[in-house]
Amino acid sequence: MKPMLNIALPKGRLGEKVYAMFESAGFECPSIKENNRKLIFENEEVGVRYFWVKPSDSAIYVERGAADIGVAGKDILLEYDPDVYELLDLDIGKCRMAVAAKKEFRDNPQRTLKVATKFTNIAQNFYSSKGREIDMIHLNGSIEIAPILGLSDVIVDIVETGTTLKENNLEVKETIFPISARLIANKSSFKFKNTQIEKIVRELSAQIEAKND
Ligand code: PRP
């Protein structure tokens, strides 16, 4: 019997795209398409076991070896700095990390800037590199509300289409970095299941190249 490769997929739209890429690469697992609330699916013949995890958790599963490989956004990798190998930019799940504020907001560099975000490490590094003093407000979601209610001056958050900002009368003031989904591997799995992992990397790379041709 083949050794099973454990793969953490981010639950949701991005995860479905990622699964489609794995499926085209020959690592199919038809039961994953059944309409139920199961979280773990395997195909012994091919030697894969997939599980749906919260997107912000996939790097934890991989770092600790519960998953051999997985997919995480560059935002999560930069925020939590997990001890994993980043193998491939999957060129999907593209968005950006940005500073946003009310349209009329004008920064006064003499004042401490109030920053609301889920990504406190990213925000801290960004403002430290500018030598700017900030008052960090950690929130868990719906960050866009903070500047509207005067809880913060700006937010540091993910912008994809820009619709959420627009509908809340906010705008991007500065882009911090572009984001896309990355294939990551547990360091010891990369050694011990190298043949399987390298095969996946080769197949996925070929798909990405073909798409960009
Ligand atoms: C993210 C992000 C923004 C939104 C941006 O939220 O925090 O709110 O998507 O997308 P847009 O530019 O296409 O409008 P998410 O859905 O992850 O939920 P959250 O409120 O928990 O952050």
Side-chain angles (χ1 to χ4, degrees), residues 54 118-119 140-144 157-166:
K54 200 175 154 79
K118 259 199 288 205
F119 301 94
N140 294 300
S142 301
I143 319 293
E144 291 84 358
D157 201 13
I158 291 169
V159 180
E160 190 181 355
T161 59
T163 311
T164 312
L165 292 181
K166 203 165 160 211

Side-chain angles (χ1 to χ4, degrees), residues 97-101 105 107 109 111-117 119-137 152-157 173-176:
M97 187 64 68
V99 178
F105 174 72
D107 190 12
R111 274 187 50 225
T112 300
L113 187 68
K114 288 192 280 176
V115 181
T117 187
F119 301 94
T120 48
N121 291 326
I122 289 170
Q124 192 55 258
N125 291 339
F126 177 68
Y127 285 107
S128 295
S129 74
K130 291 173 168 257
R132 183 71 195 271
E133 203 172 309
I134 63 166
D135 176 9
M136 185 79 75
I137 301 158
S152 74
D153 299 311
V154 301
I155 61 174
V156 167
D157 201 13
K173 298 291 182 186
E174 213 171 339
T175 293
I176 305 182

Side-chain angles (χ1 to χ4, degrees), residues 6 8 51 57-70 81-85 184-189:
N6 293 303
F51 31 92
D57 289 341
S58 64
I60 299 174
Y61 285 85
V62 174
E63 181 178 39
R64 294 193 168 249
D68 298 307
I69 59 172
D81 197 21
D83 191 17
V84 298
Y85 291 132
I184 55 173
N186 173 270
K187 288 190 167 173
S188 96
S189 302

